Amino acid sequence: MDELDRNILGLLGADARMSVATLARRMKVARSTVQARLERLETTGVIAGYTLKLGENARQGRLRASVLLTIEPRAQAAILTRLKAIAEIEKVFTTSGRYDLLLQIAAPSTQVLDQVLDQIGALTGVVSSESLIHLSTKFDRAV
């Protein structure tokens, strides 16, 4: 990946709907060059897809939280299977350090969030959990 590829990714990160012609114009290169680069980035898996990023107005009704889990050794596979069944869990990351898993959760209310946290805590193999409720977003670089 070179500077041109990074520029394409940067522009698409800001606006995934930007046309190939507009990308080419902004980068001052031929449209065919941008098209070929995009095809290569997609084929090699650098670009996995194009998606919709919800704005703050659409996310206002959602309460977000991160949950840190410590789990029993060799329980990860079974716990991940059960976590996949909980719709409010958006992402699960493995981590290094004191905790084994980091969960990203979005719920429509504190009541639902409380139920989800109880559900997670009751899973066989979960030793402990720590919940962090997200209050406000200061900036977001995620694409």
Side-chain angles (χ1 to χ4, degrees), residues 68-89:
L68 300 161
L69 293 183
T70 302
I71 60 175
E72 292 176 358
R74 296 179 294 285
Q76 183 171 304
I79 288 173
L80 288 174
T81 299
R82 285 174 277 180
L83 291 174
K84 284 180 187 175
I86 302 172
E88 290 80 9
I89 300 175

Side-chain angles (χ1 to χ4, degrees), residues 62-69 83 86-93 102-109 112-118 120 130-134:
R62 309 285 291 165
L63 183 61
R64 304 182 72 76
S66 294
V67 178
L68 300 161
L69 293 183
L83 291 174
I86 302 172
E88 290 80 9
I89 300 175
E90 296 179 326
K91 294 181 184 180
V92 177
F93 304 92
L102 168 70
L103 285 56
Q104 180 179 306
I105 299 175
S109 67
V112 173
L113 179 60
D114 192 38
Q115 291 169 354
V116 169
L117 295 175
D118 287 345
I120 293 167
E130 183 176 337
S131 304
L132 306 165
I133 309 299
H134 301 194

